[in-house]
Amino acid sequence: MGVLDWETVVVTIDLVLGVVWAKRAGRLRERLFEKIVHDLDLGAQARLSIDWATNYGMSILFAWLFGQWPEHLQKLWTIMAAPAIDDAVACIAPVAAEPLRQLRKLCRCITRKSIDNRKSAIDWLMALPETGADLRRRGARIHHSGLHRKLVVLAMLRDGLDLSVVAATERLRPDTIRIWLENGMEHGLEAMVARPVRGRDLSEDQEREIGAWLATIRGRARGHGAWSAEQVQYEIMQRFDIKMTAASALSLLRANTAQSARSWDFGQLEGRCGNIACGIDQVNAGS
């Protein structure tokens, strides 16, 4: 990286914090943390045991990032599905000309071409042998309204409709559809359309085992890095091979974690990157 002035270092850190702590990036953020603990050989459990919003957690992140720059910056940008550098920089408070020039130079490995070439969950869907008509026929045979709707959405996307158009037509959040697609890419179509179970459908042993594990990750229940319902659902499916409804999974997390909010010791993390993260969210929502 060479020698940098302090203002350029601060701007670079602000930019990275805004990308990592963007509200809509919860699922991607966990993938980033998983990559970091793997690269640093910290053990798989470290992803959940480290409180990433603390001084300690952020020190690990930046040690990983600066330890192999710019390769790790490019990995971070890809994993977080972050916008182009100029778009991300536009979300930061006005930056002086020289630090901005230095920042663009530091981040020159992030090009619009590299962003456009990312393999996406849509690529996975379009590569399926099932056509849109096949997915509709399958949906017509299912009497579970939620699964029927999911297959209809997949069929529309498979036919080539834009995700934002499908979301508006079906009155769904675009992020919900993206999570469905990511689950499919990760676990396959069959797991994606499998019927989820409610909390009351779990056996006593299953509920106790899942609850005991959830009790160890209080930091994901509340605060800046809190998991969404879909993220809890995903983590439980990954660990226990049980697909719960998103609402039931979130209820189980809340029931098994302390009621008091976590205390944050990463300086003024919320104040420092909150506005930046909000701006990143807006850029991603429009992309």
Side-chain angles (χ1 to χ4, degrees):
M1 294 179 68
V3 178
L4 301 174
D5 63 77
W6 178 243
E7 192 172 359
T8 300
V9 172
V10 170
V11 170
T12 303
I13 291 173
D14 281 351
L15 181 70
V16 172
L17 287 176
V19 168
V20 171
W21 291 104
K23 271 187 180 178
R24 303 177 186 187
R27 175 79 169 275
L28 303 177
R29 186 161 52 240
E30 292 297 329
R31 287 184 179 174
L32 173 65
F33 296 158
E34 185 175 32
K35 175 64 176 171
I36 292 172
V37 300
H38 174 270
D39 286 354
L40 298 179
D41 197 22
L42 300 177
Q45 288 303 313
R47 175 175 70 92
L48 298 176
S49 62
I50 293 172
D51 192 343
W52 292 95
T54 63
N55 283 331
Y56 175 66
M58 288 292 96
S59 295
I60 292 174
L61 185 149
F62 283 106
W64 171 83
L65 179 65
F66 294 135
Q68 199 168 326
W69 186 286
E71 291 84 358
H72 283 177
L73 175 68
Q74 195 160 25
K75 286 181 181 179
L76 183 149
W77 229 255
T78 299
I79 292 171
M80 296 302 299
I85 287 292
D86 284 346
D87 293 333
V89 168
C91 300
I92 303 177
V95 180
E98 181 56 23
L100 183 58
R101 188 185 70 80
Q102 290 291 334
L103 178 64
R104 287 186 172 131
K105 183 179 178 181
L106 283 172
C107 301
R108 60 181 177 271
C109 63
I110 308 299
T111 64
R112 288 190 180 273
K113 183 178 179 181
S114 68
I115 290 172
D116 292 341
N117 287 340
R118 288 173 183 154
K119 181 172 176 56
S120 70
I122 290 290
D123 297 326
W124 162 79
L125 176 63
M126 300 306 287
L128 289 177
E130 292 87 350
T131 64
D134 293 334
L135 293 169
R136 283 191 183 84
R137 280 193 292 270
R138 182 169 181 177
R141 296 194 297 268
I142 294 178
H143 300 295
H144 185 281
S145 60
L147 297 182
H148 172 80
R149 189 182 195 190
K150 189 175 289 186
L151 283 161
V152 168
V153 166
L154 290 181
M156 295 169 72
L157 293 170
R158 187 70 175 81
D159 286 341
L161 289 179
D162 186 76
L163 189 147
S164 61
V165 173
V166 175
T169 301
E170 293 297 312
R171 297 183 179 180
L172 291 166
R173 292 187 305 117
D175 283 349
T176 297
I177 298 177
R178 291 190 187 100
I179 288 171
W180 290 352
L181 292 170
E182 287 169 8
N183 279 331
M185 186 167 63
E186 187 101 17
H187 301 286
L189 179 63
E190 296 308 314
M192 179 184 179
V193 299
R195 184 168 183 169
V197 300
R198 294 182 173 85
R200 64 171 179 264
D201 298 322
L202 298 174
S203 68
E204 289 185 8
D205 286 344
Q206 287 174 327
E207 185 173 359
R208 183 166 52 251
E209 186 179 6
I210 296 172
W213 175 69
L214 291 173
T216 68
I217 52 173
R218 297 188 185 94
R220 300 305 200 273
R222 293 169 182 80
H224 202 71
W227 281 347
S228 66
E230 291 84 1
Q231 181 67 30
V232 185
Q233 177 193 47
Y234 171 81
E235 296 284 346
I236 290 174
M237 187 162 68
Q238 283 281 88
R239 192 176 185 87
F240 299 98
D241 199 27
I242 297 173
K243 184 178 181 180
M244 299 184 66
T245 65
S248 294
L250 183 61
S251 294
L252 202 57
L253 173 66
R254 289 174 173 170
N256 285 280
T257 52
Q259 296 302 309
S260 59
R262 294 280 287 181
S263 61
W264 303 95
D265 62 10
F266 184 54
Q268 299 178 9
L269 175 63
E270 300 249 6
R272 182 166 188 71
C273 70
N275 291 335
I276 304 168
C278 180
I280 296 288
D281 283 332
Q282 291 170 359
V283 170
N284 279 332
S287 61

